[in-house]
């Protein structure tokens, strides 16, 4: 019996089958994806993870890995897995090794949250080059598995650039460990990189080695209301060219900020002024060893189309400005479960893309509401639509298709940072060629021949035992 075998290895306390308890592991953060788990298992060590995979392999039981369950594409829950699935929660893998200052690295268990690893390295005078609003729940294993982006990509790149090594358990229970920490180590394929962004389909990440980044002594944050999106895009180019201390440029709109203010009971950011809902706001941050406020102000003064600005140099004021940006996901979800898309289009085409998008949603779903925000420096736009009929699957698919096809036609990506998961499966072909998809399928077949690791995510399902 599957459950008996799992209990033998983990103990009854860590094999959960009571629906009242498993429900939170079976539903994603947005509420859009739900499934039923045969059990939720909570191993504490790499060896226990390996044992779970061997047992599930013997029983031909699919496995859905889960970290903080903050993913936004339905990949962390067993939605639509017809054969049933064991949800493998990695949250008890919480060991953190001491900071290795000489190598500039820290190694943490997959279940350590981003906030905890940030606090751990901050105590030694360092930072982590990845950050975003779900930091208190998202785990380093989940962040690596989804190659998360976030708010610091401008300076540090995606998570892939921050992962120096990994420990991974393969479908057959074998453990692959590449944690040498050597910056130069060209012996064959870069295996850690293979698993970054694999969304739980190639192996289970049990330990993550992350690079340390410096903690800036000074930081300045500003929120600017801009006349229009072309002016905002021009300002990004100006800042990139002239402000070396630039660390983040994020995009929100007046209507989104109003929504966050209403959701959180906050005052609007620009005292005594309000702007129409389609007004773009730029949240920008500069960091340095000395106060970067002057550099930022000098650049902004030469920009055109700046309607208003607020600047924050204290931690409290900075946090307040970031809340207008980071509060979007929860504020939109409070309106209703959104159709959630995450595209990138070349920055030079962003303004035309947004104009077309607004027209497209007005035409295809006149009573729906479009919410836009994103990471402008990386040309990454989050497209959320609320007010759609949840039972009208074809309508939602039609709108998704139209938006993603429009992004792809511009040379964009249908999944900029959230990944493919279950949500974008049908549209992967818009962003990857048949030759690329064949390589992806070959890698999946090689590492998971029975197709038990997160079936239905990223790679089309191919049944169990039939590669
Ligand atoms: P989960 O949600 O549990 O899992 C994510 C995927 O990884 C799933 O496919 C799962 O099967 C797999 N997985 C999880 N752990 C492992 C493991 N140990 N081994 C193998 N596979 C595993 N993302 C961004 O890129 N940028 C953002 O700015 C951003 N902001 C966010 C803000 C909010 C408020 C929220 C709710 C989410 C945000 N996200 C953002 C989504 C982001 O992808 C996740 O927050 C994070 O990367 C996932 O970590 P997690 O531990 O919650 O993983
Ligand atoms: C963000 O940048 O706010 C996130 O990626 C989350 C989201 O898109 O909801
Ligand atoms: Zn984002």
């Amino acid at each position: 019996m599957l459950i008996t075998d799992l209990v033998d290895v983990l103990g009854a306390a860590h094999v959960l089958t009571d629906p009242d308890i498993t429900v939170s592991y079976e539903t994603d953060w947005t509420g859009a994806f739900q499934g039923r788990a045969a059990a939720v298992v909570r191993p504490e060590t790499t060896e226990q993870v390996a044992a779970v995979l061997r047992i599930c392999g013997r029983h031909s039981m699919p496995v859905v890995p889960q970290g903080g369950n903050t993913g936004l594409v339905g990949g962390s829950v067993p939605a639509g897995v017809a054969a049933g699935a064991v949800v493998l929660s990695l949250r008890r893998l919480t060991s953190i090794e001491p900071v290795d200052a000489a190598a500039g690295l820290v190694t943490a268990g997959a279940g350590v949250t981003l906030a905890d690893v940030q606090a751990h390295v901050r105590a030694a005078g360092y930072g982590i080059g990845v950050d975003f609003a779900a930091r208190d729940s998202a785990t380093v294993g989940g962040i690596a598995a989804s190659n998360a982006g976030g708010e610091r990509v401008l300076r540090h790149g995606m998570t892939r650039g921050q992962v120096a090594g990994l420990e991974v358990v393969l479908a057959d229970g074998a453990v692959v460990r590449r944690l040498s920490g050597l910056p130069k180590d060209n012996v064959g394929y870069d295996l850690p990189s293979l698993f970054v962004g694999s969304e739980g389909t190639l192996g289970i990440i049990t330990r993550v080695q992350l690079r340390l980044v410096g903690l800036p002594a000074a930081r300045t944050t500003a929120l600017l209301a801009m006349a229009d999106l072309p002016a905002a895009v021009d300002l990004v180019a100006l800042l990139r060219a002239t402000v070396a201390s630039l660390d983040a440029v994020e995009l929100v709109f007046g209507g989104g900020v109003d929504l966050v203010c209403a959701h959180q009971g906050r005052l609007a950011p620009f005292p005594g002024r309000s702007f129409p809902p389609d007004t773009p706001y730029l949240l920008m941050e500069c960091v340095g060893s000395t106060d970067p406020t002057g550099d930022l102000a000098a650049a902004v003064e030469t920009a055109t189309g700046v309607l208003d600005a607020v600047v924050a140099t204290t931690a409290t004021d900075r946090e307040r400005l970031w809340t207008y940006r980071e509060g979007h996901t929860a504020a939109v979800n409070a309106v209703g479960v959104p159709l959630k898309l995450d595209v990138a289009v070349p920055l030079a085409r962003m303004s035309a893309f947004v104009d077309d998008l607004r027209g497209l949603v007005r035409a295809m779903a006149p009573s729906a509401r479009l919410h836009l925000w994103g990471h402008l420096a990386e040309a990454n736009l989050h497209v959320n639509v609320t007010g759609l009929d949840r039972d009208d699957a074809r309508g939602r698919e039609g709108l998704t298709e139209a938006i993603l096809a429009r992004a792809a036609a511009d040379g964009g990506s249908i999944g900029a940072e959230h990944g493919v998961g279950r949500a974008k499966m049908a549209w992967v072909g818009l962003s990857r060629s048949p030759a690329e998809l064949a390589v992806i399928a070959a890698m999946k077949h090689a590492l998971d021949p029975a197709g038990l690791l997160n079936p239905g995510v990223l790679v089309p399902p191919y049944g169990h035992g039939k590669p």
Side-chain angles (χ1 to χ4, degrees), residues 124-451:
Y126 296 94
I128 296 287
V130 183
D131 198 22
F132 53 86
R135 59 184 73 79
D136 289 328
S137 308
T139 62
V140 295
I143 289 167
S146 53
N147 187 27
E151 298 151 359
R152 304 291 158 184
V153 174
L154 172 62
R155 181 170 295 265
H156 301 292
M158 302 281 280
T159 294
R160 184 184 309 284
Q162 303 308 310
V163 172
L166 286 182
E167 179 185 82
V168 179
V169 182
L170 302 182
D172 64 1
V175 179
V176 174
R177 201 172 281 120
R178 177 104 319 272
L179 297 167
S180 71
L182 295 171
K184 292 191 168 183
D185 192 6
N186 273 346
V187 185
Y189 303 139
D190 183 16
L191 293 184
S193 189
L194 178 64
F195 293 97
V196 174
S198 64
E199 301 189 39
T201 62
L202 296 181
I204 307 299
I205 297 168
T206 45
R207 282 205 284 164
V208 182
Q209 190 173 54
L210 290 166
R211 299 185 204 291
L212 303 175
V213 300
L215 266 188
R219 199 179 277 273
T220 289
T221 311
L223 185 70
L224 270 58
M226 302 297 299
D228 51 32
L229 202 46
V233 170
D234 285 349
L235 182 51
V236 172
L238 176 72
L239 293 169
R240 223 196 275 278
T242 60
V243 183
S245 56
L246 192 66
D247 205 53
V249 186
E250 301 278 301
L251 173 71
V252 291
F253 287 87
V257 170
D258 291 347
L259 192 67
V260 172
C261 290
H263 183 235
Q264 299 192 3
R266 280 182 181 270
L267 293 175
F270 299 103
R273 288 191 78 176
S274 63
F275 295 98
D278 288 353
T279 309
Y281 294 177
L282 288 185
L283 179 71
M284 50 195 64
E285 192 157 277
C286 291
V287 300
S289 51
T290 56
D291 184 0
T293 311
D295 292 351
L296 182 59
V300 169
E301 270 164 25
T302 65
T304 50
V306 179
L307 303 177
D308 207 342
V310 281
V311 179
T313 50
T314 68
T316 314
D317 287 348
R318 273 201 315 270
E319 209 169 290
R320 190 173 60 84
L321 290 190
W322 272 103
T323 302
Y324 295 121
R325 160 65 183 89
E326 292 194 340
H328 272 65
T329 310
V332 168
N333 233 80
V335 174
V337 177
L339 173 69
K340 214 166 175 49
L341 304 175
D342 163 43
V343 301
V345 290
L347 207 44
R349 297 185 192 161
M350 181 64 86
S351 301
F353 177 78
V354 167
D355 286 346
D356 282 6
L357 197 58
R358 290 200 165 114
L360 204 149
V361 172
R362 260 195 312 272
M364 292 183 75
S367 56
R369 186 168 170 192
L370 175 64
H371 312 260
L372 300 174
W373 72 97
H375 313 277
L376 192 61
E378 293 85 55
N380 177 191
L381 191 69
H382 297 313
V383 180
N384 285 223
V385 186
T386 54
L388 297 168
D389 180 356
R390 273 200 84 177
D391 298 327
D392 179 14
R394 285 184 66 179
R396 297 166 70 86
E397 275 171 28
L399 187 59
T400 304
E401 170 85 25
I403 295 172
L404 297 185
R406 175 67 182 78
D410 257 350
S413 169
I414 62 128
E417 60 170 7
H418 297 162
V420 174
R422 302 180 197 287
K424 313 289 161 56
M425 278 292 282
W427 295 283
V428 171
L430 287 172
S431 272
R432 291 293 178 269
S433 67
E436 287 173 301
L437 293 174
V439 174
I440 289 171
M443 281 159 42
K444 169 73 173 170
H445 287 162
L447 288 179
D448 180 22

Side-chain angles (χ1 to χ4, degrees), residues 26 32-37 62 64 74 77-85 422 455-457 461:
E26 295 168 332
F33 293 90
Q34 260 175 319
R36 208 38 205 106
V64 175
V77 294
V81 185
R422 302 180 197 287
V457 167

